[in-house]
Amino acid sequence: MELTWFKKGTIYQIYPRSFNDSNNDGIGDLRGIIEKLDYLKSLEVDILWLSPIFKSPNDDNGYDISDYCDIMSEFGTMEDFDELLKQTHHRGMRLILDLVANHCSDEHRWFQEAKKSKDNPYRDYFHWRKPAANGGPPNNWKSFFGGSAWELDPLSGEYYLHLFTKKQPDLNWENPKVREEIYNAMRFWLDKGVDGFRMDVIPLISKREGYPDAPKKGFRKIIEEVYANGPRVHEYLKEMNTNVVSQYDAFSLAEGVGINHENAGLYINKDRKELDMLYHFDVLECTIVNGKFEESSVFNLVNLKNIFKKWREAVHEKGWLANAMGNHDFARMVSRFGNDTSYWSESAKMLLLMQATQNGSLNIYQGDEIGMTNIVLESVEDVRDVQSLNFYNENLETKRYSNRDALEMINREGRDNARTPIQWSDEINGGFSAHTPWLKANPNYAVINVEKQDKDKDSILNFYRKVLKTRKQYDVFVHGDFEELEFNNPNIYAYKKKRENEEILVALNFSEEEIEFKFDTSDVASEILISNYENLNIENNQMTLKPYQGVVLEMN
Ligand code: TEU
Ligand code: CA
């Protein structure tokens, strides 16, 4: 299989609000990103994905768009954007935008019009239903962010659907005009030279006829069978690909809530011409049993291996996956899957080795390249994320947990963990801004920051640079045939990968103990390609892995 630029390239996610503030108003902006393009280039990343930069009242930090063809005023102007695109391309990198097409903002002109009357031409851009017999919401659907997914519009006495906050009304994709509006917005950016889109909650765009009630229990099943994967989703995606994306040298990367390894192929198999790649969300959700702030489990390595394996086998060579261990919706990668105290540096590096050697695209979330960690917010006043705040406020009423416990849950799982300002230096607010940032900087910026790691050859940052560079030289990192070793070992993740004449062995210790690891006697390691410790204790077919040690050996 020939690797196109977008399959081989490393994707780096920027959450603009928290990346870099160029005008010191406490909010990251486009000029701030331009200032850091050389840094991003030095990191060896190839494709920048910007979380939404469009006009928005920011109920959900830009995932509520009020104009698809304008820039959020806090982030800058269209001129700033054009400059950013030009400068990115100038450095040989690509730029993709975040298309939020399942819903828009209630402040979008379409919704403002739609609300005016039942016969307004924009009415049918959204999902409206009469109340149930008791006057309540038309069905039992729940918003992903708590409460009913329906909000009563007092003027018409009808409810509208919002799978996220009530300021994010769902668009009605059944209406061909809606689809054309979205396609036109995509063309607007593609004509400027944008290289593709990350597609927010794309499996949700087609709704089930009659809006049937959801079963009472079963978090995943409800999403998969009631909210996502609706009857016309594939038709829409084909249309979008045929009419828009395939007309450009661009690609689509979908966020896959509700997609499992069994139906993933329907979205990404090449011959179906729908999407170019897909996150397997199960990795990100591997500790979430029943939704955020509901049941969660402790991290289990064998479970994670299983997820990678099932997805890999299901899409092998037919479609393409994107691997992410963190994004703006989850706690920090090193705090969740590694050890952010005693083995902070080792585990952050080891996790990268795992990610960089899985089949598919490598996706890095801003700040993970310096091992940024979760933050402890001392008071609910400091919480900014609407999902966390909704949970907290709902809990004030239900009193299910004490306020302290609720805040603790937010600190463990909440989205603000990943949204604290990037720690550029040990200056005030981590060098992100001279002004108090919109969300507190993690006080550990004095120790964890870019400037410091840039100078240290053994830093996480320099390790990222090295791994990303090596990954470009070996196709086998990106895709190859897997052979799992000691699959049921709860502490070691090890595998051999082969592709044409390249062969590597990857061994990763996920524990705080030193562990002996034996591999097949017929294998001869020729070279240690990468290790996150200075030394590797290896003799013949046996190695001793230090706590959180990770190695990639080249075999012959
Ligand atoms: O996230 C949608 C999504 O799938 C998550 O909300 C997930 O379901 C949740 O974390 C439970 O595990 C996307 C964006 O990434 C997010 O930032 C937006 O808030 C959301 O869509 C709405 O646009
Ligand atoms: Ca700013």
Side-chain angles (χ1 to χ4, degrees):
M1 183 162 51
E2 190 49 38
L3 288 184
T4 49
W5 61 266
F6 58 81
K7 287 183 175 167
K8 199 158 178 169
T10 296
I11 301 168
Y12 182 92
Q13 181 189 353
I14 296 179
Y15 195 69
R17 180 163 288 264
S18 309
F19 191 67
N20 184 34
D21 177 14
S22 73
N23 63 346
N24 290 315
D25 63 353
I27 298 171
D29 45 55
L30 300 181
R31 291 263 149 212
I33 302 173
I34 297 174
E35 285 174 7
K36 299 294 181 185
L37 285 175
D38 286 331
Y39 165 74
L40 293 168
K41 183 70 190 171
S42 83
L43 197 57
E44 304 278 346
V45 298
D46 308 285
I47 302 166
L48 308 180
W49 148 30
L50 306 184
S51 273
I53 55 164
F54 316 102
K55 205 167 166 63
S56 163
N58 285 307
D59 188 51
D60 186 17
N61 286 356
Y63 284 90
D64 48 322
I65 298 174
S66 56
D67 187 340
Y68 286 85
C69 297
D70 202 356
I71 301 286
M72 190 190 300
S73 45
E74 295 164 322
F75 287 178
T77 62
M78 195 60 84
E79 286 68 48
D80 296 335
F81 176 79
D82 292 340
E83 180 70 14
L84 170 61
L85 183 62
K86 192 173 122 197
Q87 294 289 342
T88 304
H89 285 163
H90 185 69
R91 286 166 178 77
M93 294 184 289
R94 308 269 192 155
L95 189 73
I96 68 170
L97 298 180
D98 207 318
L99 183 76
V100 189
N102 173 68
H103 46 268
C104 63
S105 162
D106 67 337
E107 295 183 34
H108 195 292
R109 191 175 57 88
W110 304 333
F111 194 73
Q112 293 294 317
E113 283 295 321
K115 261 196 337 189
K116 287 184 180 161
S117 70
K118 285 189 192 169
D119 52 15
N120 186 283
Y122 288 93
R123 187 75 176 180
D124 196 38
Y125 272 41
F126 300 91
H127 298 268
W128 299 94
R129 297 295 275 176
K130 291 194 182 56
N134 65 2
N139 73 13
N140 70 356
W141 291 10
K142 289 218 170 61
S143 150
F144 280 79
F145 294 160
S148 168
W150 298 92
E151 181 73 9
L152 183 65
D153 165 45
L155 188 70
S156 63
E158 288 188 339
Y159 281 85
Y160 66 87
L161 176 68
H162 61 89
L163 289 177
F164 294 89
T165 76
K166 61 178 185 222
K167 283 183 70 60
Q168 294 168 297
D170 280 50
L171 286 162
N172 176 16
W173 277 66
E174 295 268 332
N175 183 344
K177 285 197 199 127
V178 168
R179 305 206 294 277
E180 212 37 54
E181 298 265 18
I182 297 292
Y183 301 159
N184 281 336
M186 294 170 77
R187 290 184 188 108
F188 173 83
W189 296 102
L190 289 165
D191 286 337
K192 277 183 177 288
V194 158
D195 302 290
F197 294 98
R198 175 262 189 189
M199 297 189 175
D200 191 58
V201 291
I202 203 74
L204 303 181
I205 57 178
S206 163
K207 312 296 189 238
R208 284 181 174 70
E209 198 167 345
Y211 310 91
D213 268 343
K216 297 241 152 40
K217 274 201 170 130
F219 170 68
R220 263 159 223 273
K221 246 182 126 57
I222 294 174
I223 297 180
E224 284 168 19
E225 292 171 16
V226 183
Y227 302 139
N229 311 313
R232 297 184 65 187
V233 65
H234 297 294
E235 177 196 331
Y236 299 153
L237 291 175
K238 270 194 192 78
E239 183 180 83
M240 184 196 260
N241 185 63
T242 312
N243 296 355
V244 192
V245 181
S246 68
Q247 303 292 317
Y248 297 82
D249 180 22
F251 77 105
S252 58
L253 159 59
E255 196 206 15
V257 66
I259 303 183
N260 55 41
H261 66 280
E262 281 160 351
N263 64 11
L266 297 176
Y267 287 85
I268 48 170
N269 281 355
K270 274 180 305 205
D271 48 0
R272 293 180 57 89
K273 301 199 175 6
E274 294 189 21
L275 296 165
D276 293 303
M277 59 174 103
L278 175 79
Y279 288 109
H280 45 113
F281 229 54
D282 286 353
V283 169
L284 284 163
E285 296 213 315
C286 71
T287 58
I288 296 172
V289 179
N290 206 14
K292 212 165 253 177
F293 308 130
E294 286 295 329
E295 214 181 322
S296 64
S297 63
V298 289
F299 172 65
N300 175 316
L301 180 62
V302 178
N303 178 28
L304 182 73
K305 295 188 212 180
N306 247 313
I307 294 171
F308 274 124
K309 182 168 186 284
K310 276 197 277 190
W311 279 79
R312 185 171 62 235
E313 290 173 356
V315 305
H316 190 64
E317 302 279 316
K318 295 194 294 275
W320 197 255
L321 291 172
N323 298 304
M325 297 298 288
N327 67 25
H328 62 295
D329 291 335
F330 291 90
R332 277 284 171 190
M333 168 168 109
V334 68
S335 303
R336 256 186 108 188
F337 303 114
N339 176 324
D340 65 8
T341 52
S342 345
Y343 296 102
W344 163 71
S345 170
E346 292 82 353
S347 64
K349 292 173 184 169
M350 186 276 287
L351 287 167
L352 174 69
L353 283 184
M354 174 180 72
Q355 250 193 303
T357 53
Q358 292 293 335
N359 284 357
S361 289
L362 169 59
N363 196 115
I364 290 167
Y365 179 62
Q366 68 175 31
D368 281 344
E369 78 272 22
I370 55 165
M372 280 177 63
T373 65
N374 281 355
I375 187 172
V376 179
L377 299 171
E378 307 281 355
S379 138
V380 68
E381 311 291 305
D382 295 329
V383 176
R384 293 288 175 271
D385 168 33
V386 67
Q387 184 180 39
S388 297
L389 287 170
N390 283 359
F391 161 71
Y392 192 87
N393 292 331
E394 226 172 86
N395 188 64
L396 287 179
E397 279 163 35
T398 60
K399 299 204 165 44
R400 195 167 151 199
Y401 308 101
S402 71
N403 292 349
R404 245 190 64 204
D405 285 352
L407 186 61
E408 207 182 288
M409 288 162 81
I410 289 172
N411 278 328
R412 194 171 51 236
E413 282 185 50
R415 307 196 295 182
D416 284 336
N417 280 309
R419 299 177 177 186
T420 59
I422 294 297
Q423 298 162 201
W424 295 105
S425 69
D426 61 6
E427 281 163 46
I428 186 151
N429 304 317
F432 163 78
S433 176
H435 189 282
T436 308
W438 69 277
L439 166 68
K440 272 194 172 167
N442 193 318
N444 65 17
Y445 66 72
V447 194
I448 302 178
N449 66 63
V450 171
E451 194 177 71
K452 184 169 164 200
Q453 293 196 23
D454 192 45
K455 291 186 211 135
D456 172 5
K457 74 171 180 24
D458 294 325
S459 67
I460 300 173
L461 176 60
N462 281 317
F463 190 79
Y464 264 69
R465 288 174 170 146
K466 179 170 157 194
V467 172
L468 265 51
K469 201 169 180 167
T470 310
R471 195 169 182 271
K472 287 185 178 142
Q473 290 150 7
Y474 291 83
D475 274 356
V476 67
F477 274 56
V478 184
H479 64 158
D481 295 321
F482 258 75
E483 187 190 326
E484 306 268 359
L485 307 169
E486 293 199 30
F487 191 74
N488 294 317
N489 188 323
N491 297 313
I492 301 271
Y493 193 5
Y495 38 90
K496 282 193 280 184
K497 272 184 87 176
K498 208 187 256 176
R499 167 155 192 89
E500 283 159 13
N501 55 1
E502 294 174 358
E503 189 174 350
I504 53 172
L505 185 147
V506 181
L508 313 162
N509 180 357
F510 270 76
S511 81
E512 293 174 25
E513 313 297 322
E514 208 172 272
I515 301 185
E516 306 263 295
F517 169 67
K518 279 195 188 121
F519 50 100
D520 205 310
T521 38
S522 62
D523 294 326
V524 184
S526 64
E527 198 191 334
I528 301 170
L529 268 184
I530 309 172
S531 164
N532 63 347
Y533 276 73
E534 209 168 320
N535 299 306
L536 172 67
N537 187 341
I538 181 168
E539 221 170 295
N540 301 322
N541 62 336
Q542 180 162 336
M543 58 177 106
T544 311
L545 293 168
K546 298 249 166 50
Y548 289 100
Q549 182 158 23
V551 289
V552 181
L553 307 177
E554 189 171 11
M555 311 298 285
N556 61 8

